């Protein structure tokens, strides 16, 4: 399920998962009036205004149910990061309930991705070790992304 309103566009959405969570990175520099609405049935709605006042929005029917009260959102200058708590801890075979090809604005976030076989107990605290705090350093050019050396540090390697 996605919003195909002709008046709004969809920002690029990168996703990754852990056994109990899904991570979405919404690429929308200088977003204003951001609204993130997770629903227990697995509906995730997003809307915001871009830097030039253009509307952006999408609605995703996630693969399974989520716990809205445990979902966290961090706002940066370039990205909006969402940590979504799964209701049932398990590996989802895909992000969306539909088994059709996902929309072109949704992509895998390989910087945060963890395979089922690779997840270690130290990854249970991934949110606590997450390098991005929501406060962008203006001299930084990484847009709040977590790079491989940071991922290895988070895993304790």
């Amino acid at each position: 399920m996605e919003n195909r309103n002709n008046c709004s566009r969809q920002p690029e959405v990168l996703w990754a998962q852990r056994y109990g969570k899904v991570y979405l990175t919404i690429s929308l520099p200088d977003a204003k009036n951001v609204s993130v609405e997770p629903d227990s049935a697995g509906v995730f709605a997003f809307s915001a205004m871009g830097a030039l006042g253009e509307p952006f929005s999408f609605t995703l029917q996630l693969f399974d149910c989520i716990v809205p009260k445990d979902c966290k959102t961090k706002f940066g200058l370039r990205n909006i990061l969402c940590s979504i708590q799964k209701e049932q801890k398990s590996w989802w075979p895909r992000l969306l309930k539909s088994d059709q090809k996902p929309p072109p604005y949704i992509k895998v976030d390989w910087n945060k991705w963890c395979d089922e076989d690779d997840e270690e107990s130290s990854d249970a605290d991934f949110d606590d070790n997450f390098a991005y705090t929501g406060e962008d350093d203006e001299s930084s050019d990484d847009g709040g992304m977590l790079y491989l050396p940071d991922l290895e540090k988070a895993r304790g390697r």
Side-chain angles (χ1 to χ4, degrees):
M1 170 192 296
E2 68 177 280
N3 185 356
R4 292 199 181 264
N5 184 344
N6 290 336
C7 296
S8 69
R9 302 181 338 194
Q10 294 83 28
E12 180 180 64
V13 178
L14 301 177
W15 81 282
Q17 73 172 315
R18 294 291 185 277
Y19 188 65
K21 295 187 181 203
V22 170
Y23 299 99
L24 298 181
T25 302
I26 303 164
S27 301
L28 190 57
D30 301 319
K32 295 175 180 52
N33 302 327
V34 177
S35 172
V36 175
E37 298 178 26
D39 177 90
S40 61
V43 176
F44 182 88
F46 171 86
S47 65
M49 297 298 281
L52 302 175
E54 66 275 33
F56 286 84
S57 67
F58 63 85
T59 301
L60 304 175
Q61 176 63 58
L62 300 175
F63 182 79
D64 206 353
C65 297
I66 59 174
V67 182
K69 67 179 180 68
D70 292 337
C71 296
K72 299 175 186 172
T73 303
K74 296 180 182 182
F75 301 94
L77 293 176
R78 296 179 184 101
N79 298 315
I80 296 126
L81 303 171
C82 302
S83 171
I84 302 168
Q85 182 71 44
K86 297 177 183 177
E87 185 178 86
Q88 299 292 320
K89 291 185 176 184
S90 66
W91 287 96
W92 291 355
R94 58 189 173 274
L95 176 64
L96 304 177
K97 185 171 282 256
S98 170
D99 60 356
Q100 296 177 353
K101 184 177 179 180
Y105 65 89
I106 298 176
K107 299 176 179 153
V108 173
D109 188 345
W110 294 113
N111 289 323
K112 293 184 190 119
W113 190 263
C114 181
D115 288 327
E116 185 174 353
D117 296 339
D118 294 339
E119 186 171 46
E120 300 169 0
S121 60
S122 64
D123 285 333
D125 297 323
F126 186 76
D127 276 343
D128 296 333
N129 295 327
F130 193 53
Y132 181 68
T133 63
E135 298 175 9
D136 282 304
D137 175 6
E138 292 188 25
S139 65
S140 173
D141 197 31
D142 65 2
M145 300 301 292
L146 187 63
Y147 293 103
L148 186 56
D150 295 325
L151 182 59
E152 289 175 354
K153 182 178 176 184
R155 288 184 173 173
R157 292 185 181 173

